Amino acid sequence: MLRNLRLAARMLSKTPFVTCIAVLSLALGIGANSAIFSLFDQMLLQPLPVPSPEELVNLGAPGPKMGSTQCSQAGSCEVVFSYPMYRDLERTQTVLTGLAAHRAFQPSLAIDGEPLTGQGVMVSGSYFPTLQLQSAAGRLFTVADDAPVGANFVAVLGYDFWRDRFGSSPSVIGKTIRINGKAFSVIGVAPKEFSGTTLGVRPTVYVPISMRAVIEPGFTNFENRRAYWVYVFGRRKPDVSLAQATAALNALYRPIINDVEVPLQSGISNQTLARFKARLVTVNDGRQGQSSTPENAKTPLLLLMGVTGVVLLIACANIANLLLARGAGRAAEMGVRLALGATRGQLLALLLTESVLLALIGGVASLGVAHLTLKFIGTLMPSNEVGALVFELQGSVVLFTAALAVVTGLVFGLFPALHSTRSDLISVIRAGAGQLTGGKAATRFRATLVTVQIALSMALLVSAGLFLKSLMNVSRVDLGLRVDDVVTFGLSPVRAGMDSTRAAVYFTRVQEVLAAMPGVTGVTSSRVPLLAGQSWGTAVHVQGFTSGPDIDADSRLNQVGPGYFQMMGVPLIAGRDIAESDLHGGARVAVVNETFARKFGLGRDAVGKFMSDGENDSLTVQIVGLTPDVKYNSVKDTIPPVFYFAARQDWSIGELNFYVRSSLPVAQVMASVRGAMKALDPTIPVEDLKSMPQQIRENVFLDHMISILSAAFAVLATVLAAIGLYGMLAFSVTQRTREIGVRMALGADAARVRAMVMKQVGLMTLVGGVIGVAGAFGIGQAARALLFGLEGHDALVFSASVLLLSAVALAAGFLPARRAALINPMQALRHD
Amino acid sequence: MVATATPLIHMQGITKVFTTDEMETHALQAIDFDIAAGEYVAIAGPSGCGKTTLLSILGLLDAPSGGQYTLAGQPVAALSAVERARVRNRQIGFIFQAFNLIGDLTVAENVELPLTYRSDLTPADRKDRVARALGRVGMSHRARHYPPQLSGGQQQRVAVARAVAGDPAILLADEPTGNLDSKNGEAVMELLQELNAGGATICMVTHDERYARHAGRQVHLFDGRVADAAASVTAMA
């Protein structure tokens, strides 16, 4: 084995240029796979770092939910429970060793007077015991810390926060920190590897879920069975199967639904009531925690894994071709070895050692490629998503890389090795030179490899073209807004301990301070941040629109500051903008968009009509303006019906997002905003400060990421395929030197010889191209959900890809064809 | 050197037919042929007479189409590929016309090569055998060199060392002087004679009568048949 390794190293070092090209190809192919695998692993494969994660189960409560529903990154609105239902199940269930509840929140933290932002999770007392975690310092919550409601001002810190902010000092235990303005005592630190149960949320702090009303003043839904906001998971007892757990939990759930909750429902049709009565708890594998990220990321990641897999296949085809060519030069050596008594197995071991060594060197180099690719992907992702993932090489990725390298070396070294060690070697020994490589099998294999490379490249080029065109369509979407020179940020004074009445005064002051900053030409605000992926919806009552059971009366809403539409560059169709005079206590006003007016039968006569939101059917809000449809929370989504209330008419608003238009450079405006807000109130942190173009880019980051990565990988694949085509043809010309010499001696001119080689190129390109186009058609259909504004069979993209690949193939074939045409017949006839 | 009566190699009725789509070529026909241990036999004949085909069959590189071949008392027809490789490795030493040294291995590594395919030798045993083999052909001082750094004659000496390193039952030499000038050719012939004098059994294929006369017995082939057998120095017992 050692001898084989030594010989393999010697062989590779003998042709450093070729080895470097091979290693580079492999490094790019394996590295791209490792980088995407790193994300795949983190999002879709890694279990929670807790004992026996396979015992964890996620509970869901699908079915109609009348009342209010709050869902978040931990999962869809289908799976949330009401708090009383969670407590009922927790108290009565017997098939689980624990049933835990959690919900993320946005905390405003203050430590020794210094304001900080972070992420928080409200958890039940059973949360840490169910996960079977031990604290890194102090202690974790127990059931006793979670009752009664509003009584336990205790907090557990996330490990990273403890390490970074407190230098891992044990003296933090007992320290008081302020969470949303309330004093909490730190009782412990979560373990090192644990960062919550929701991918995308890395908690800075954990508080008991029973403290929600304390950290979110005004929350009153602990007893409300029609308020769904709790995410629930449990741990199966070791001898209980998933099916048994499901059956046992439903045996408890169904009576509660039918006996306790059905009587609470009103104003719904019999059909909806029947569906409500039929609701069942779902119990699913919970080893990866609860998060909507895997579901959202699955398709793009699978697509990118497929793309990088294809890139690796193309790189490996080059390696196989290289090994075949190298095997040709060593045919005589293999013959000698066989004649001296080597078995075929021994020679296979030798050759496979070489290919595996080559792949391993490529694998080591690929770690650098993977590292850089991950860093690059990190720059493509929005800042709030970046924190959820690790863009470093983890142990699992290194193992994956090593395994991939070994498999690559074995699989793609096998045919060349088998071919080079064929037992019919007597002629080689007689002649003393290798004639094996001219064998039809090897020639066919090499041509097939190159044809497959062309097919795969074609498929990748088309898919990359589709994504690039989709991205172009996304970037051309008319948002209906003019926000190029606008900076946005959020403020949450209520979370810093300010009551909402004072907050309203504070927000007015903020508007004044911002408007007075040098270079500022406009300021406004909104409760729901514009184009940030968040939305807020409610049912409405509209003058002239008949509501009733099962009639869709839902609309999105926002609360906005004075001059909102003017500031955003939206010319109103009718009526007026939200004005400075629309204040608390005055007549309530609204602006609605065209879709709203259409949905609720208002048409162009919306202005002057009355409406109301929620279950209030008093129609006390007058519509004063009709706005064109402008994008709400997503660049790509269809614009929903939206109504806008005046933010200053609602004194319960605890947080607002501000927009500042300025002619000054963005960085300068941001610095001014930070300084001005700190001077106004240093205890209230500025959140998510960024330019609106950046916010819009982050809104479509997935399109950017898929387009850029797939384009980069497609270019890489095409270059690799071109190298493969060039190498195959160059080798073929060398092999056929004597034949070409004979042809020329018999009267073939240079053009005919050139045409002979180019015909070979044309045939492989044609066959590979047709197969590739067929494959690309399939990919286009499969990726339709990720495309925007085009079909998966876009003719322009397909045509451009065919032209591009044909040009690359012809260019790759030109040099060998030219070399063939320049062969001197006299020299060629002496060629051996 | 007087040969013993027990044949090391016994061939009876050996035929070899090469078949293509269009025709059959009878390369060897009804070859009856023995080589005794310690004998030095030259197989001679014009180009295309079947010399190399016969040597390939003798060396288990090729199988006959018919007839019986016994090597050291063991019929070889039914041997598997692995068993044939083992016989080639342990009992046969090859010397090729084109030397067939591996350019990426040093002289010592080339000589060691057949020994590395054996599991019964320790690294120390192998080194010892390599040193002795190189000593026998006078190439010890070139052990660390690579084949391209040697002259043709020196390369063939190394090839002889490689052939004898495993103490095979027989040395098969295929035109061992074919790629050498006359001076180096004579030197290699002398080396083979020395080896034979030391007890080595040798079977050499050559088309050159001058070199064939170095052997103790000549077997002439013509059109795939044994034309005659003549003793050069000592008659067969």
Side-chain angles (χ1 to χ4, degrees), chain A residues 76-422:
Chain A
S76 77
C77 289
E78 283 286 280
V79 300
V80 282
F81 285 79
S82 70
Y83 188 79
M85 176 63 88
Y86 158 64
R87 289 300 183 192
D88 287 346
L89 293 175
E90 183 192 33
R91 196 174 53 253
T92 54
Q93 68 82 21
T94 56
V95 287
L96 308 173
T97 59
L99 190 66
H102 63 103
R103 177 168 190 86
F105 72 104
Q106 191 74 40
S108 275
L109 302 169
I111 296 167
D112 299 330
E114 182 190 348
L116 297 165
T117 55
Q119 291 180 303
V121 183
M122 295 177 276
V123 301
S124 62
S126 55
Y127 183 83
F128 290 114
T130 300
L131 292 170
Q132 297 180 354
L133 291 172
Q134 303 297 319
S135 65
R139 67 175 181 84
L140 302 175
F141 296 141
T142 64
V143 174
D145 294 305
D146 191 22
V149 164
N152 295 289
F153 288 78
V154 290
V156 168
L157 301 183
Y159 185 92
D160 291 353
F161 181 63
W162 177 55
R163 181 195 59 208
D164 298 342
R165 184 65 179 78
F166 297 100
S168 303
S169 169
S171 64
V172 74
I173 308 304
K175 189 175 179 63
T176 297
I177 62 171
R178 298 191 82 80
I179 302 172
N180 290 5
K182 306 295 189 305
F184 281 71
S185 178
V186 176
I187 62 165
V189 178
K192 185 176 180 182
E193 303 297 334
F194 181 72
S195 56
T197 45
T198 300
L199 184 67
V201 178
R202 295 178 80 86
T204 308
V205 64
Y206 302 83
V207 297
I209 201 166
S210 56
M211 299 299 285
R212 181 168 184 187
V214 173
I215 55 177
E216 290 181 20
F219 177 80
T220 57
N221 285 329
F222 282 120
E223 303 297 329
N224 187 350
R225 290 184 176 274
R226 286 161 55 93
Y228 302 90
W229 56 278
V230 177
Y231 289 93
V232 179
F233 70 87
R235 181 183 285 275
R236 274 185 295 130
K237 287 178 177 173
D239 56 343
V240 174
S241 70
L242 212 59
Q244 288 170 325
T246 307
L249 287 166
N250 276 307
L252 303 172
Y253 183 73
R254 293 296 300 278
I256 300 171
I257 286 286
N258 284 284
D259 301 342
V260 180
E261 299 207 348
V262 165
L264 301 176
Q265 313 304 320
S266 60
I268 58 174
S269 65
N270 289 336
Q271 193 182 7
T272 305
L273 188 63
R275 284 172 52 221
F276 184 86
K277 286 179 177 175
R279 285 174 56 171
L280 289 171
V281 168
T282 59
V283 182
N284 296 310
D285 189 340
R287 73 185 70 198
Q288 289 176 264
Q290 284 179 297
S291 174
S292 56
T293 304
E295 191 60 35
N296 298 335
K298 195 173 182 180
T299 305
L301 278 176
L302 281 173
L303 179 89
L304 287 173
M305 281 290 280
V307 168
T308 52
V310 168
V311 171
L312 181 60
L313 274 178
I314 292 173
C316 288
N318 278 356
I319 305 305
N321 256 338
L322 167 76
L323 293 174
L324 268 177
R326 188 170 267 176
R330 296 175 67 186
E333 175 194 334
M334 292 301 122
V336 171
R337 286 177 180 272
L338 284 169
L340 295 178
T343 61
R344 199 174 185 202
Q346 286 169 316
L347 296 191
L348 283 175
L350 171 67
L351 293 176
L352 287 177
T353 302
E354 283 181 29
S355 58
V356 170
L357 180 65
L358 186 69
L360 281 176
I361 295 171
V364 171
S366 78
L367 292 177
V369 175
H371 175 74
L372 293 175
T373 309
L374 276 175
K375 291 285 178 201
F376 176 64
I377 292 172
T379 64
L380 296 176
M381 294 184 77
S383 49
N384 59 329
E385 299 275 349
V386 166
L389 297 168
V390 179
F391 292 92
E392 301 288 343
L393 297 177
Q394 296 176 299
S396 56
V397 177
V398 175
L399 278 178
F400 172 81
T401 304
L404 193 58
V406 170
V407 170
T408 298
L410 286 175
V411 171
F412 287 87
L414 194 58
F415 179 83
L418 285 171
H419 185 78
S420 302
T421 55
R422 291 187 317 176

Side-chain angles (χ1 to χ4, degrees), chain A residues 367-487:
Chain A
L367 292 177
V369 175
H371 175 74
L372 293 175
T373 309
L374 276 175
K375 291 285 178 201
F376 176 64
I377 292 172
T379 64
L380 296 176
M381 294 184 77
S383 49
N384 59 329
E385 299 275 349
V386 166
L389 297 168
V390 179
F391 292 92
E392 301 288 343
L393 297 177
Q394 296 176 299
S396 56
V397 177
V398 175
L399 278 178
F400 172 81
T401 304
L404 193 58
V406 170
V407 170
T408 298
L410 286 175
V411 171
F412 287 87
L414 194 58
F415 179 83
L418 285 171
H419 185 78
S420 302
T421 55
R422 291 187 317 176
S423 56
D424 181 21
L425 291 161
I426 298 156
S427 58
V428 176
I429 295 163
R430 281 175 178 164
Q435 296 299 317
L436 269 181
T437 53
K440 282 182 183 170
T443 306
R444 263 202 309 273
F445 183 72
R446 292 168 64 83
T448 304
L449 279 181
V450 173
T451 307
V452 169
Q453 284 180 311
I454 290 171
L456 294 174
S457 298
M458 175 61 80
L460 289 194
L461 274 179
V462 171
S463 54
L466 290 172
F467 287 120
L468 282 175
K469 189 166 180 194
S470 172
L471 180 62
M472 281 170 62
N473 291 344
V474 168
S475 64
R476 285 182 189 150
V477 166
D478 181 9
L479 303 175
L481 304 157
R482 191 170 57 80
V483 290
D484 288 349
D485 50 357
V486 172
V487 163

